[in-house]
């Protein structure tokens, strides 16, 4: 299966508030993650994720002192 070039990652809103979910679009890079799957990142390079061909997501820290949250959904984009 050929991996998608872009994904929309949906993250939960701030707990205890009425904040909407955040959606971040990430694009495939030439890198592979620790699991051997493609690495995707947003335009800023801050949001980075390894996404398998079955849609499993592993968030990757792009800098020190980060503790990335898991998205609730990873949806491939055309």
């Amino acid at each position: 299966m050929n991996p998608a070039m872009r994904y929309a990652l949906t993250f939960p809103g701030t707990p205890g508030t009425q904040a909407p979910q955040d959606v971040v679009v990430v694009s495939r890079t030439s890198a592979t993650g620790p699991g051997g799957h493609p690495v995707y990142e947003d335009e800023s390079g801050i949001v980075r994720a390894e996404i398998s061909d079955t849609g499993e997501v592993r968030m990757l820290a792009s800098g020190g002192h980060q503790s990335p949250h898991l998205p609730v959904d990873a949806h491939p984009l055309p």
Side-chain angles (χ1 to χ4, degrees):
M1 182 174 182
N2 198 11
M5 295 304 291
R6 297 182 321 141
Y7 278 88
L9 301 180
T10 305
F11 296 89
T14 305
T17 70
Q18 297 294 324
Q21 294 179 326
D22 291 320
V23 178
V24 178
V25 175
V26 292
S27 298
R28 187 174 175 176
T29 68
S30 60
T32 55
H37 303 289
V39 171
Y40 295 77
E41 66 182 23
D42 71 341
E43 288 183 3
S44 71
I46 295 172
V47 177
R48 300 185 76 227
E50 176 183 13
I51 304 176
S52 75
D53 55 356
T54 60
E56 295 175 279
V57 179
R58 178 187 303 188
M59 296 304 296
L60 305 171
S62 61
H65 307 290
Q66 273 189 330
S67 56
H69 297 280
L70 285 176
V72 293
D73 183 51
H75 182 73
L77 298 173

Short mmCIF file of all heavy atoms in Angstrom, two decimals:
data_model
loop_
_atom_site.label_atom_id
_atom_site.label_comp_id
_atom_site.label_asym_id
_atom_site.label_seq_id
_atom_site.Cartn_x
_atom_site.Cartn_y
_atom_site.Cartn_z
N MET A 1 0.84 -1.18 0.00
CA MET A 1 0.00 0.00 0.00
C MET A 1 0.89 1.24 0.00
O MET A 1 1.84 1.34 0.77
CB MET A 1 -0.90 -0.02 1.23
CG MET A 1 -1.85 1.13 1.30
SD MET A 1 -2.96 0.84 2.72
CE MET A 1 -3.97 2.23 2.56
N ASN A 2 0.61 2.20 -0.84
CA ASN A 2 1.39 3.42 -0.96
C ASN A 2 0.91 4.43 0.08
O ASN A 2 -0.26 4.80 0.09
CB ASN A 2 1.23 3.98 -2.38
CG ASN A 2 2.30 4.96 -2.73
OD1 ASN A 2 3.28 5.10 -2.01
ND2 ASN A 2 2.12 5.65 -3.83
N PRO A 3 1.81 4.90 0.96
CA PRO A 3 1.38 5.84 2.00
C PRO A 3 0.90 7.17 1.42
O PRO A 3 1.38 7.62 0.38
CB PRO A 3 2.62 6.04 2.87
CG PRO A 3 3.71 5.24 2.28
CD PRO A 3 3.21 4.58 1.05
N ALA A 4 -0.02 7.81 2.12
CA ALA A 4 -0.53 9.12 1.70
C ALA A 4 0.58 10.16 1.82
O ALA A 4 1.49 10.02 2.63
CB ALA A 4 -1.72 9.51 2.58
N MET A 5 0.49 11.21 1.04
CA MET A 5 1.47 12.29 1.09
C MET A 5 1.14 13.30 2.18
O MET A 5 2.02 14.00 2.66
CB MET A 5 1.57 13.00 -0.27
CG MET A 5 2.11 12.10 -1.38
SD MET A 5 3.74 11.39 -0.99
CE MET A 5 4.77 12.84 -1.05
N ARG A 6 -0.16 13.39 2.57
CA ARG A 6 -0.57 14.34 3.61
C ARG A 6 -1.63 13.69 4.49
O ARG A 6 -2.40 12.86 4.03
CB ARG A 6 -1.16 15.61 2.99
CG ARG A 6 -0.21 16.39 2.15
CD ARG A 6 -0.79 17.67 1.59
NE ARG A 6 -2.17 17.54 1.16
CZ ARG A 6 -3.10 18.48 1.35
NH1 ARG A 6 -2.82 19.61 1.94
NH2 ARG A 6 -4.33 18.30 0.93
N TYR A 7 -1.66 14.12 5.74
CA TYR A 7 -2.67 13.69 6.70
C TYR A 7 -3.19 14.90 7.46
O TYR A 7 -2.46 15.87 7.66
CB TYR A 7 -2.08 12.73 7.75
CG TYR A 7 -1.98 11.30 7.30
CD1 TYR A 7 -0.86 10.85 6.63
CD2 TYR A 7 -2.99 10.39 7.56
CE1 TYR A 7 -0.74 9.53 6.22
CE2 TYR A 7 -2.90 9.07 7.17
CZ TYR A 7 -1.77 8.65 6.50
OH TYR A 7 -1.67 7.34 6.10
N ALA A 8 -4.44 14.82 7.87
CA ALA A 8 -5.01 15.78 8.82
C ALA A 8 -5.03 15.09 10.17
O ALA A 8 -5.67 14.05 10.34
CB ALA A 8 -6.41 16.20 8.41
N LEU A 9 -4.28 15.63 11.12
CA LEU A 9 -4.25 15.10 12.48
C LEU A 9 -5.19 15.94 13.34
O LEU A 9 -5.06 17.16 13.40
CB LEU A 9 -2.84 15.17 13.06
CG LEU A 9 -1.74 14.43 12.31
CD1 LEU A 9 -0.40 14.62 13.02
CD2 LEU A 9 -2.07 12.96 12.16
N THR A 10 -6.12 15.27 14.00
CA THR A 10 -7.08 15.96 14.86
C THR A 10 -6.73 15.68 16.31
O THR A 10 -6.63 14.53 16.72
CB THR A 10 -8.52 15.49 14.57
OG1 THR A 10 -8.78 15.67 13.18
CG2 THR A 10 -9.53 16.26 15.39
N PHE A 11 -6.51 16.76 17.07
CA PHE A 11 -6.15 16.67 18.49
C PHE A 11 -7.32 17.12 19.34
O PHE A 11 -8.07 18.02 18.94
CB PHE A 11 -4.93 17.55 18.78
CG PHE A 11 -3.68 17.11 18.07
CD1 PHE A 11 -3.40 17.59 16.80
CD2 PHE A 11 -2.81 16.23 18.66
CE1 PHE A 11 -2.25 17.18 16.13
CE2 PHE A 11 -1.66 15.81 18.01
CZ PHE A 11 -1.39 16.30 16.74
N PRO A 12 -7.47 16.53 20.54
CA PRO A 12 -8.56 16.96 21.42
C PRO A 12 -8.38 18.40 21.87
O PRO A 12 -7.26 18.91 21.93
CB PRO A 12 -8.47 16.00 22.60
CG PRO A 12 -7.08 15.47 22.58
CD PRO A 12 -6.61 15.53 21.15
N GLY A 13 -9.48 19.06 22.17
CA GLY A 13 -9.44 20.42 22.71
C GLY A 13 -8.90 20.39 24.13
O GLY A 13 -8.65 19.34 24.71
N THR A 14 -8.74 21.55 24.72
CA THR A 14 -8.23 21.65 26.08
C THR A 14 -9.22 21.01 27.05
O THR A 14 -10.40 21.39 27.06
CB THR A 14 -8.01 23.13 26.45
OG1 THR A 14 -7.16 23.73 25.48
CG2 THR A 14 -7.41 23.26 27.84
N PRO A 15 -8.76 20.06 27.87
CA PRO A 15 -9.67 19.40 28.82
C PRO A 15 -10.32 20.41 29.77
O PRO A 15 -9.69 21.36 30.22
CB PRO A 15 -8.75 18.45 29.60
CG PRO A 15 -7.56 18.25 28.72
CD PRO A 15 -7.40 19.53 27.95
N GLY A 16 -11.60 20.20 30.05
CA GLY A 16 -12.33 21.04 30.98
C GLY A 16 -12.82 22.34 30.39
O GLY A 16 -13.30 23.21 31.12
N THR A 17 -12.69 22.51 29.08
CA THR A 17 -13.16 23.73 28.42
C THR A 17 -14.06 23.35 27.24
O THR A 17 -14.19 22.19 26.89
CB THR A 17 -11.98 24.58 27.88
OG1 THR A 17 -11.40 23.89 26.77
CG2 THR A 17 -10.93 24.83 28.95
N GLN A 18 -14.62 24.34 26.65
CA GLN A 18 -15.43 24.13 25.45
C GLN A 18 -14.60 24.34 24.18
O GLN A 18 -15.14 24.54 23.11
CB GLN A 18 -16.63 25.08 25.45
CG GLN A 18 -17.59 24.86 26.60
CD GLN A 18 -18.28 23.51 26.51
OE1 GLN A 18 -18.60 23.02 25.44
NE2 GLN A 18 -18.51 22.90 27.66
N ALA A 19 -13.28 24.30 24.31
CA ALA A 19 -12.39 24.55 23.17
C ALA A 19 -12.60 23.50 22.09
O ALA A 19 -12.77 22.31 22.38
CB ALA A 19 -10.94 24.53 23.63
N PRO A 20 -12.61 23.94 20.83
CA PRO A 20 -12.77 22.99 19.73
C PRO A 20 -11.50 22.16 19.56
O PRO A 20 -10.43 22.50 20.07
CB PRO A 20 -12.98 23.89 18.51
CG PRO A 20 -12.29 25.16 18.87
CD PRO A 20 -12.45 25.31 20.36
N GLN A 21 -11.64 21.07 18.82
CA GLN A 21 -10.48 20.25 18.51
C GLN A 21 -9.57 21.02 17.56
O GLN A 21 -10.00 21.87 16.80
CB GLN A 21 -10.93 18.95 17.85
CG GLN A 21 -11.72 18.05 18.77
CD GLN A 21 -12.16 16.77 18.08
OE1 GLN A 21 -12.45 16.77 16.90
NE2 GLN A 21 -12.21 15.68 18.83
N ASP A 22 -8.27 20.73 17.64
CA ASP A 22 -7.29 21.33 16.75
C ASP A 22 -7.01 20.36 15.61
O ASP A 22 -6.84 19.16 15.84
CB ASP A 22 -5.97 21.61 17.48
CG ASP A 22 -6.10 22.70 18.52
OD1 ASP A 22 -6.79 23.69 18.23
OD2 ASP A 22 -5.51 22.57 19.59
N VAL A 23 -6.93 20.89 14.38
CA VAL A 23 -6.59 20.08 13.22
C VAL A 23 -5.31 20.63 12.62
O VAL A 23 -5.20 21.83 12.37
CB VAL A 23 -7.72 20.08 12.16
CG1 VAL A 23 -7.31 19.27 10.94
CG2 VAL A 23 -9.00 19.52 12.75
N VAL A 24 -4.34 19.75 12.43
CA VAL A 24 -3.04 20.13 11.86
C VAL A 24 -2.79 19.25 10.64
O VAL A 24 -2.90 18.03 10.72
CB VAL A 24 -1.90 19.93 12.89
CG1 VAL A 24 -0.55 20.27 12.29
CG2 VAL A 24 -2.16 20.75 14.14
N VAL A 25 -2.45 19.88 9.51
CA VAL A 25 -2.13 19.14 8.29
C VAL A 25 -0.62 18.91 8.27
O VAL A 25 0.17 19.84 8.45
CB VAL A 25 -2.58 19.91 7.04
CG1 VAL A 25 -2.12 19.18 5.77
CG2 VAL A 25 -4.09 20.05 7.03
N VAL A 26 -0.24 17.65 8.08
CA VAL A 26 1.17 17.29 8.00
C VAL A 26 1.45 16.67 6.64
O VAL A 26 0.60 16.01 6.05
CB VAL A 26 1.58 16.31 9.13
CG1 VAL A 26 1.53 16.99 10.49
CG2 VAL A 26 0.71 15.06 9.15
N SER A 27 2.67 16.89 6.14
CA SER A 27 3.09 16.37 4.84
C SER A 27 4.25 15.42 5.03
O SER A 27 5.07 15.57 5.95
CB SER A 27 3.53 17.52 3.92
OG SER A 27 2.47 18.40 3.70
N ARG A 28 4.34 14.45 4.12
CA ARG A 28 5.38 13.44 4.21
C ARG A 28 6.76 14.07 3.96
O ARG A 28 6.91 14.94 3.10
CB ARG A 28 5.12 12.35 3.18
CG ARG A 28 6.05 11.18 3.31
CD ARG A 28 5.67 10.07 2.37
NE ARG A 28 6.67 9.02 2.45
CZ ARG A 28 6.58 7.89 1.82
NH1 ARG A 28 5.55 7.64 1.04
NH2 ARG A 28 7.53 6.98 1.94
N THR A 29 7.74 13.62 4.73
CA THR A 29 9.12 14.05 4.55
C THR A 29 9.91 12.86 4.00
O THR A 29 9.37 11.76 3.83
CB THR A 29 9.75 14.50 5.89
OG1 THR A 29 9.90 13.36 6.74
CG2 THR A 29 8.90 15.56 6.58
N SER A 30 11.18 13.05 3.78
CA SER A 30 12.03 11.95 3.30
C SER A 30 12.54 11.08 4.44
O SER A 30 13.16 10.05 4.21
CB SER A 30 13.21 12.51 2.50
OG SER A 30 13.99 13.36 3.34
N ALA A 31 12.24 11.48 5.68
CA ALA A 31 12.72 10.74 6.86
C ALA A 31 11.82 9.56 7.19
O ALA A 31 10.65 9.52 6.81
CB ALA A 31 12.78 11.68 8.06
N THR A 32 12.40 8.59 7.89
CA THR A 32 11.62 7.49 8.45
C THR A 32 11.78 7.54 9.97
O THR A 32 12.81 7.97 10.48
CB THR A 32 12.08 6.11 7.92
OG1 THR A 32 13.47 5.96 8.17
CG2 THR A 32 11.80 5.97 6.45
N GLY A 33 10.75 7.09 10.66
CA GLY A 33 10.76 7.11 12.11
C GLY A 33 11.37 5.86 12.70
O GLY A 33 11.82 4.97 11.97
N PRO A 34 11.36 5.76 14.03
CA PRO A 34 11.95 4.61 14.71
C PRO A 34 11.27 3.28 14.36
O PRO A 34 11.90 2.23 14.45
CB PRO A 34 11.79 4.92 16.20
CG PRO A 34 11.01 6.17 16.31
CD PRO A 34 10.85 6.76 14.96
N GLY A 35 10.02 3.33 13.91
CA GLY A 35 9.32 2.12 13.52
C GLY A 35 9.48 1.77 12.05
O GLY A 35 8.91 0.80 11.56
N GLY A 36 10.26 2.60 11.33
CA GLY A 36 10.50 2.34 9.91
C GLY A 36 9.44 2.90 8.98
O GLY A 36 9.48 2.65 7.78
N HIS A 37 8.51 3.68 9.52
CA HIS A 37 7.44 4.27 8.71
C HIS A 37 7.77 5.73 8.38
O HIS A 37 8.59 6.35 9.05
CB HIS A 37 6.10 4.18 9.46
CG HIS A 37 5.73 2.79 9.82
ND1 HIS A 37 5.34 1.85 8.90
CD2 HIS A 37 5.73 2.16 11.03
CE1 HIS A 37 5.09 0.69 9.50
NE2 HIS A 37 5.33 0.86 10.80
N PRO A 38 7.10 6.29 7.36
CA PRO A 38 7.39 7.68 6.98
C PRO A 38 7.08 8.67 8.10
O PRO A 38 6.17 8.48 8.89
CB PRO A 38 6.43 7.93 5.80
CG PRO A 38 6.02 6.59 5.32
CD PRO A 38 6.10 5.67 6.50
N VAL A 39 7.89 9.74 8.13
CA VAL A 39 7.69 10.84 9.07
C VAL A 39 6.99 11.97 8.34
O VAL A 39 7.34 12.30 7.20
CB VAL A 39 9.03 11.32 9.67
CG1 VAL A 39 8.84 12.59 10.48
CG2 VAL A 39 9.64 10.23 10.53
N TYR A 40 6.00 12.55 8.99
CA TYR A 40 5.22 13.67 8.46
C TYR A 40 5.42 14.85 9.39
O TYR A 40 5.58 14.66 10.60
CB TYR A 40 3.73 13.31 8.40
CG TYR A 40 3.42 12.19 7.42
CD1 TYR A 40 3.68 10.87 7.74
CD2 TYR A 40 2.87 12.48 6.18
CE1 TYR A 40 3.40 9.85 6.84
CE2 TYR A 40 2.58 11.47 5.28
CZ TYR A 40 2.85 10.15 5.62
OH TYR A 40 2.58 9.15 4.71
N GLU A 41 5.39 16.08 8.84
CA GLU A 41 5.48 17.26 9.69
C GLU A 41 4.66 18.39 9.11
O GLU A 41 4.38 18.41 7.90
CB GLU A 41 6.93 17.68 9.92
CG GLU A 41 7.67 18.17 8.71
CD GLU A 41 9.12 18.52 9.03
OE1 GLU A 41 9.68 18.00 10.02
OE2 GLU A 41 9.68 19.31 8.27
N ASP A 42 4.28 19.34 9.99
CA ASP A 42 3.53 20.51 9.53
C ASP A 42 4.51 21.52 8.93
O ASP A 42 5.72 21.30 8.94
CB ASP A 42 2.69 21.11 10.66
CG ASP A 42 3.51 21.80 11.73
OD1 ASP A 42 4.73 21.55 11.84
OD2 ASP A 42 2.93 22.60 12.47
N GLU A 43 3.97 22.62 8.40
CA GLU A 43 4.80 23.62 7.73
C GLU A 43 5.86 24.21 8.65
O GLU A 43 6.94 24.58 8.21
CB GLU A 43 3.94 24.73 7.14
CG GLU A 43 3.16 24.30 5.92
CD GLU A 43 2.37 25.44 5.30
OE1 GLU A 43 2.46 26.59 5.79
OE2 GLU A 43 1.66 25.18 4.32
N SER A 44 5.55 24.32 9.95
CA SER A 44 6.50 24.90 10.90
C SER A 44 7.60 23.93 11.31
O SER A 44 8.63 24.33 11.83
CB SER A 44 5.76 25.39 12.15
OG SER A 44 5.32 24.27 12.92
N GLY A 45 7.35 22.62 11.11
CA GLY A 45 8.30 21.60 11.54
C GLY A 45 8.17 21.25 13.00
O GLY A 45 8.92 20.41 13.52
N ILE A 46 7.21 21.86 13.68
CA ILE A 46 7.03 21.61 15.11
C ILE A 46 6.24 20.32 15.36
O ILE A 46 6.60 19.52 16.21
CB ILE A 46 6.35 22.80 15.81
CG1 ILE A 46 7.28 24.02 15.75
CG2 ILE A 46 5.97 22.47 17.25
CD1 ILE A 46 6.66 25.30 16.22
N VAL A 47 5.17 20.11 14.60
CA VAL A 47 4.35 18.90 14.75
C VAL A 47 4.93 17.83 13.83
O VAL A 47 4.94 17.99 12.61
CB VAL A 47 2.88 19.17 14.41
CG1 VAL A 47 2.07 17.89 14.51
CG2 VAL A 47 2.30 20.24 15.33
N ARG A 48 5.45 16.76 14.42
CA ARG A 48 6.06 15.67 13.67
C ARG A 48 5.44 14.36 14.12
O ARG A 48 5.23 14.14 15.31
CB ARG A 48 7.56 15.62 13.88
CG ARG A 48 8.26 16.90 13.45
CD ARG A 48 9.76 16.81 13.55
NE ARG A 48 10.22 16.01 12.41
CZ ARG A 48 11.09 15.01 12.50
NH1 ARG A 48 11.60 14.67 13.65
NH2 ARG A 48 11.46 14.36 11.41
N ALA A 49 5.16 13.48 13.15
CA ALA A 49 4.55 12.19 13.48
C ALA A 49 5.01 11.13 12.51
O ALA A 49 5.19 11.38 11.32
CB ALA A 49 3.03 12.31 13.42
N GLU A 50 5.20 9.94 13.03
CA GLU A 50 5.45 8.76 12.20
C GLU A 50 4.09 8.09 12.02
O GLU A 50 3.38 7.84 13.00
CB GLU A 50 6.42 7.81 12.91
CG GLU A 50 6.65 6.53 12.15
CD GLU A 50 7.55 5.56 12.89
OE1 GLU A 50 7.81 5.76 14.09
OE2 GLU A 50 7.98 4.59 12.27
N ILE A 51 3.70 7.85 10.77
CA ILE A 51 2.38 7.26 10.49
C ILE A 51 2.58 6.01 9.66
O ILE A 51 3.18 6.03 8.59
CB ILE A 51 1.47 8.26 9.76
CG1 ILE A 51 1.34 9.56 10.57
CG2 ILE A 51 0.09 7.63 9.52
CD1 ILE A 51 0.54 10.65 9.89
N SER A 52 2.04 4.88 10.17
CA SER A 52 2.17 3.60 9.47
C SER A 52 1.15 3.51 8.35
O SER A 52 0.21 4.32 8.27
CB SER A 52 1.97 2.44 10.45
OG SER A 52 0.60 2.30 10.79
N ASP A 53 1.30 2.49 7.51
CA ASP A 53 0.35 2.30 6.40
C ASP A 53 -1.02 1.86 6.88
O ASP A 53 -1.98 1.87 6.12
CB ASP A 53 0.91 1.32 5.37
CG ASP A 53 1.31 -0.02 5.97
OD1 ASP A 53 1.24 -0.19 7.20
OD2 ASP A 53 1.70 -0.90 5.19
N THR A 54 -1.14 1.51 8.17
CA THR A 54 -2.45 1.17 8.73
C THR A 54 -3.04 2.33 9.52
O THR A 54 -4.06 2.18 10.18
CB THR A 54 -2.36 -0.08 9.63
OG1 THR A 54 -1.44 0.19 10.69
CG2 THR A 54 -1.93 -1.30 8.84
N GLY A 55 -2.36 3.50 9.50
CA GLY A 55 -2.89 4.69 10.16
C GLY A 55 -2.49 4.85 11.61
O GLY A 55 -2.99 5.74 12.30
N GLU A 56 -1.60 4.01 12.11
CA GLU A 56 -1.12 4.17 13.49
C GLU A 56 -0.18 5.36 13.55
O GLU A 56 0.68 5.53 12.68
CB GLU A 56 -0.38 2.91 13.96
CG GLU A 56 -1.29 1.70 14.05
CD GLU A 56 -0.48 0.46 14.39
OE1 GLU A 56 0.13 -0.11 13.48
OE2 GLU A 56 -0.47 0.09 15.59
N VAL A 57 -0.35 6.18 14.57
CA VAL A 57 0.42 7.42 14.69
C VAL A 57 1.32 7.37 15.92
O VAL A 57 0.89 7.00 17.01
CB VAL A 57 -0.52 8.64 14.81
CG1 VAL A 57 0.28 9.92 14.97
CG2 VAL A 57 -1.45 8.72 13.62
N ARG A 58 2.58 7.73 15.72
CA ARG A 58 3.54 7.90 16.81
C ARG A 58 4.04 9.34 16.72
O ARG A 58 4.69 9.72 15.75
CB ARG A 58 4.71 6.95 16.67
CG ARG A 58 5.77 7.13 17.76
CD ARG A 58 6.99 6.30 17.51
NE ARG A 58 6.62 4.90 17.42
CZ ARG A 58 7.48 3.89 17.36
NH1 ARG A 58 8.77 4.13 17.37
NH2 ARG A 58 7.07 2.66 17.26
N MET A 59 3.69 10.16 17.71
CA MET A 59 4.14 11.55 17.70
C MET A 59 5.62 11.59 18.05
O MET A 59 6.09 10.83 18.89
CB MET A 59 3.33 12.38 18.69
CG MET A 59 1.85 12.50 18.36
SD MET A 59 1.50 13.14 16.71
CE MET A 59 2.18 14.79 16.83
N LEU A 60 6.35 12.48 17.37
CA LEU A 60 7.78 12.62 17.56
C LEU A 60 8.09 14.03 18.06
O LEU A 60 7.58 15.01 17.50
CB LEU A 60 8.53 12.38 16.25
CG LEU A 60 8.24 11.05 15.55
CD1 LEU A 60 8.87 11.02 14.18
CD2 LEU A 60 8.76 9.89 16.40
N ALA A 61 8.91 14.14 19.07
CA ALA A 61 9.32 15.45 19.57
C ALA A 61 10.22 16.11 18.54
O ALA A 61 11.09 15.47 17.96
CB ALA A 61 10.03 15.31 20.90
N SER A 62 10.01 17.40 18.29
CA SER A 62 10.84 18.14 17.34
C SER A 62 11.86 19.02 18.06
O SER A 62 12.66 19.67 17.41
CB SER A 62 9.96 18.99 16.42
OG SER A 62 9.24 19.94 17.17
N GLY A 63 11.81 19.02 19.37
CA GLY A 63 12.75 19.82 20.16
C GLY A 63 12.73 19.36 21.60
O GLY A 63 11.91 18.52 21.99
N GLY A 64 13.62 19.92 22.38
CA GLY A 64 13.70 19.55 23.79
C GLY A 64 12.49 20.02 24.57
O GLY A 64 11.79 20.95 24.19
N HIS A 65 12.21 19.35 25.65
CA HIS A 65 11.14 19.71 26.59
C HIS A 65 9.75 19.61 25.98
O HIS A 65 8.83 20.28 26.43
CB HIS A 65 11.36 21.10 27.18
CG HIS A 65 12.71 21.27 27.80
ND1 HIS A 65 13.08 20.64 28.96
CD2 HIS A 65 13.79 21.96 27.37
CE1 HIS A 65 14.33 20.95 29.25
NE2 HIS A 65 14.79 21.74 28.30
N GLN A 66 9.58 18.80 24.95
CA GLN A 66 8.25 18.58 24.37
C GLN A 66 7.68 17.28 24.91
O GLN A 66 8.42 16.32 25.12
CB GLN A 66 8.31 18.48 22.85
CG GLN A 66 8.24 19.76 22.13
CD GLN A 66 8.08 19.53 20.62
OE1 GLN A 66 8.54 18.53 20.09
NE2 GLN A 66 7.45 20.45 19.97
N SER A 67 6.38 17.27 25.10
CA SER A 67 5.66 16.03 25.40
C SER A 67 4.43 16.02 24.51
O SER A 67 3.35 16.43 24.92
CB SER A 67 5.30 15.95 26.89
OG SER A 67 4.55 17.08 27.27
N PRO A 68 4.62 15.58 23.25
CA PRO A 68 3.53 15.64 22.27
C PRO A 68 2.33 14.80 22.67
O PRO A 68 2.46 13.72 23.23
CB PRO A 68 4.16 15.10 20.99
CG PRO A 68 5.59 14.85 21.28
CD PRO A 68 5.81 14.98 22.74
N HIS A 69 1.14 15.32 22.38
CA HIS A 69 -0.11 14.61 22.64
C HIS A 69 -0.47 13.76 21.43
O HIS A 69 -0.14 14.10 20.30
CB HIS A 69 -1.24 15.60 22.91
CG HIS A 69 -1.02 16.42 24.13
ND1 HIS A 69 -1.27 15.95 25.39
CD2 HIS A 69 -0.54 17.68 24.29
CE1 HIS A 69 -0.96 16.88 26.27
NE2 HIS A 69 -0.51 17.94 25.63
N LEU A 70 -1.16 12.66 21.69
CA LEU A 70 -1.61 11.81 20.59
C LEU A 70 -2.87 12.40 19.96
O LEU A 70 -3.77 12.86 20.67
CB LEU A 70 -1.91 10.40 21.07
CG LEU A 70 -0.71 9.52 21.37
CD1 LEU A 70 -1.17 8.19 21.93
CD2 LEU A 70 0.11 9.31 20.12
N PRO A 71 -2.94 12.38 18.64
CA PRO A 71 -4.17 12.84 17.99
C PRO A 71 -5.28 11.82 18.18
O PRO A 71 -5.02 10.65 18.44
CB PRO A 71 -3.77 12.94 16.52
CG PRO A 71 -2.65 11.97 16.35
CD PRO A 71 -1.93 11.95 17.67
N VAL A 72 -6.52 12.27 18.07
CA VAL A 72 -7.65 11.36 18.17
C VAL A 72 -7.97 10.75 16.81
O VAL A 72 -8.68 9.77 16.73
CB VAL A 72 -8.91 12.04 18.75
CG1 VAL A 72 -8.68 12.41 20.21
CG2 VAL A 72 -9.32 13.24 17.95
N ASP A 73 -7.42 11.35 15.74
CA ASP A 73 -7.70 10.84 14.40
C ASP A 73 -6.59 11.27 13.46
O ASP A 73 -6.05 12.37 13.57
CB ASP A 73 -9.05 11.41 13.90
CG ASP A 73 -9.44 10.85 12.53
OD1 ASP A 73 -9.41 9.62 12.37
OD2 ASP A 73 -9.75 11.66 11.65
N ALA A 74 -6.23 10.39 12.52
CA ALA A 74 -5.30 10.72 11.43
C ALA A 74 -6.01 10.35 10.14
O ALA A 74 -6.26 9.17 9.88
CB ALA A 74 -4.01 9.92 11.57
N HIS A 75 -6.38 11.36 9.38
CA HIS A 75 -7.17 11.16 8.17
C HIS A 75 -6.32 11.49 6.94
O HIS A 75 -5.83 12.62 6.82
CB HIS A 75 -8.41 12.06 8.20
CG HIS A 75 -9.30 11.91 7.04
ND1 HIS A 75 -10.10 10.80 6.87
CD2 HIS A 75 -9.50 12.70 5.96
CE1 HIS A 75 -10.77 10.95 5.73
NE2 HIS A 75 -10.41 12.07 5.18
N PRO A 76 -6.09 10.50 6.02
CA PRO A 76 -5.31 10.80 4.82
C PRO A 76 -6.02 11.83 3.94
O PRO A 76 -7.24 11.80 3.82
CB PRO A 76 -5.19 9.46 4.11
CG PRO A 76 -6.19 8.56 4.73
CD PRO A 76 -6.58 9.14 6.04
N LEU A 77 -5.23 12.72 3.34
CA LEU A 77 -5.78 13.74 2.45
C LEU A 77 -5.35 13.45 1.01
O LEU A 77 -4.30 12.85 0.79
CB LEU A 77 -5.27 15.13 2.86
CG LEU A 77 -5.66 15.60 4.25
CD1 LEU A 77 -4.95 16.90 4.58
CD2 LEU A 77 -7.16 15.77 4.34
N PRO A 78 -6.16 13.88 0.06
CA PRO A 78 -5.79 13.66 -1.36
C PRO A 78 -4.58 14.49 -1.74
O PRO A 78 -4.23 15.45 -1.13
CB PRO A 78 -7.01 14.11 -2.13
CG PRO A 78 -7.85 14.88 -1.18
CD PRO A 78 -7.42 14.54 0.20
#
